[in-house]
Amino acid sequence: MAINYLQTTKFLDNVKLTFGTGDDLEIYHDGSNSYIDDAGIGSLFIRASAAIDFTNIGGTENIARFIENDRVELYFNGLKKLETTSTGVHVLNGTAASY
C-alpha cells in the first residue's frame, strides 16, 4: 500500500501568511501576482545544498541558476547569456561589455 504524504492547504486570493513576532515575513497572492516580502531588519536567505534554480512554471526553461562552489548562470528566453567563471564573467551569444 502506497502512502501519499503530500497534502495541500489552500488559501483564497488576498490572504497573507505572516511569520515572526513583528510579521516580518509575508507570503501572499493578490489574484494576479505572488509575493514573498521580507519586511524585517535582517536578510532573506534561500538555501540549498547543491544549486538554486529559477525556472518557468513548467520547469522547462531556465531563468537563473546558482550552483554551489561553481558558477552563476543567467538566461534570456531560455538561452544562457552570462555565466561567472573562476576567472571572471563569460558572456555567451552576445557582445561582452568592457569598462
Side-chain angles (χ1 to χ4, degrees):
M1 179 171 104
I3 299 174
N4 183 359
Y5 292 101
L6 181 63
Q7 296 185 16
T8 301
T9 302
K10 186 173 185 173
F11 297 93
L12 299 176
D13 291 339
N14 298 308
V15 172
K16 186 180 292 187
L17 299 175
T18 59
F19 301 86
T21 303
D23 297 334
D24 298 331
L25 177 64
E26 303 173 343
I27 301 174
Y28 57 99
H29 180 74
D30 67 7
S32 298
N33 300 296
S34 301
Y35 301 86
I36 300 173
D37 293 341
D38 178 9
I41 59 171
S43 299
L44 174 66
F45 292 92
I46 300 172
R47 302 190 288 185
S49 61
I52 297 173
D53 294 296
F54 290 87
T55 68
N56 66 344
I57 190 68
T60 58
E61 188 174 293
N62 288 324
I63 297 168
R65 300 191 73 219
F66 303 85
I67 299 99
E68 182 180 21
N69 298 320
D70 194 354
R71 66 191 179 280
V72 171
E73 302 171 348
L74 299 178
Y75 294 76
F76 177 81
N77 198 24
L79 298 173
K80 187 181 351 177
K81 294 294 187 172
L82 186 137
E83 70 180 0
T84 59
T85 67
S86 61
T87 59
V89 175
H90 185 217
V91 178
L92 300 98
N93 304 312
T95 304
S98 59
Y99 351 166

